[in-house]
Amino acid sequence: MSHESKDPIGAHLGIDSARSTPRPAAFLDRDGVINHDDGYMGTHHRIRWMPNAAKAIRRLNDAGYFVFLFTNQSGVARGFFTEDDLGTLHDWMRSELTTQGAVIDDIRYCPHHPDGSVAGYLEDHHWRKPSPGMILDLMQHWPVLHDGSFVIGDRPTDIEAAEAAGLPGFLFAGGDLDAFVADVLMQTRASQPAPLPNPPPRRGME
């Protein structure tokens, strides 16, 4: 069963220069990072955006990053909403962000939980954080450069998933998301090896 966004922006496999060019990626948790975590949100009426969420995503877009959401959504397994509800919500979120120039390239979610009540969703799925399945699936479907990529989440399970995927994880405690992303980008760039200087031009025979 696929739990990727049904939006064609994220799901199509057409050849596209923006998609085919290898780039680092920012893997962002949804609840508690992009929006406030008010518990089992299956409709847009309950979404409260994190301050400067769109600005933060736009900053990542402008810096040349793929931007992905990866989110545990056990509300499906618990019967609070369906996968169709979740797809409608994610389409709305992406549309709202796009109006502000902020692009989410793709989304992965895990609807499973072993303590749920809806048949078909009761396993401890390998996509469920702290397992890295959603991150690894995105890296298989997109040309992600490992160097420079990172995860931002609000729970230790997000950071554990990052570490399991071999990526640095940054724990977000709320507040201005754009300021946090700006700091993460600064730390990430500082940790990258400096490029080798260009060799001096070879002089002709004298």
Side-chain angles (χ1 to χ4, degrees):
M1 181 181 295
S2 172
H3 305 305
E4 64 185 56
S5 167
K6 295 178 177 62
D7 189 292
I9 294 174
H12 73 81
L13 296 176
I15 300 302
D16 176 282
S17 60
R19 174 173 181 140
S20 61
T21 303
R23 291 187 271 156
F27 298 86
L28 310 179
D29 179 38
R30 195 194 82 178
D31 302 333
V33 176
I34 300 302
N35 55 269
H36 291 275
D37 187 354
D38 293 328
Y40 304 118
M41 289 170 291
T43 67
H44 72 270
H45 303 97
R46 298 188 58 219
I47 293 294
R48 294 188 301 126
W49 296 103
M50 197 64 66
N52 288 325
K55 188 176 179 182
I57 293 167
R58 192 165 64 245
R59 180 186 294 276
L60 290 165
N61 296 152
D62 292 344
Y65 276 73
F66 290 122
V67 180
F68 303 131
L69 299 189
F70 75 119
T71 174
N72 285 348
Q73 291 296 324
S74 69
V76 175
R78 298 176 193 276
F80 296 131
F81 45 83
T82 67
E83 285 198 70
D84 285 343
D85 294 333
L86 203 55
T88 299
L89 172 58
H90 287 160
D91 288 346
W92 177 84
M93 293 179 74
R94 293 174 83 171
S95 178
E96 289 292 303
L97 290 167
T98 299
T99 64
Q100 300 180 64
V103 176
I104 299 293
D105 291 292
D106 211 346
I107 299 174
R108 294 292 183 274
Y109 63 91
C110 181
H112 301 272
H113 197 286
D115 296 331
S117 59
V118 179
Y121 296 105
L122 306 183
E123 64 179 306
D124 191 8
H125 199 274
H126 69 279
W127 275 24
R128 182 170 174 77
K129 294 178 282 187
S131 296
M134 289 185 283
I135 297 175
L136 298 178
D137 187 75
L138 284 161
M139 294 180 83
Q140 288 177 354
H141 284 85
W142 292 80
V144 174
L145 289 176
H146 198 276
D147 289 343
S149 294
F150 56 81
V151 170
I152 294 177
D154 69 319
R155 296 171 181 260
T157 50
D158 299 314
I159 308 308
E160 291 174 44
E163 293 172 349
L167 297 177
F170 297 89
L171 196 61
F172 178 62
D176 187 334
L177 182 60
D178 183 53
F180 187 85
V181 165
D183 184 61
V184 168
L185 286 174
M186 187 179 304
Q187 293 183 54
T188 301
R189 288 166 180 156
S191 68
Q192 298 301 301
L196 295 174
N198 293 326
R202 296 182 64 180
R203 299 180 62 183
M205 297 293 292
E206 295 182 351

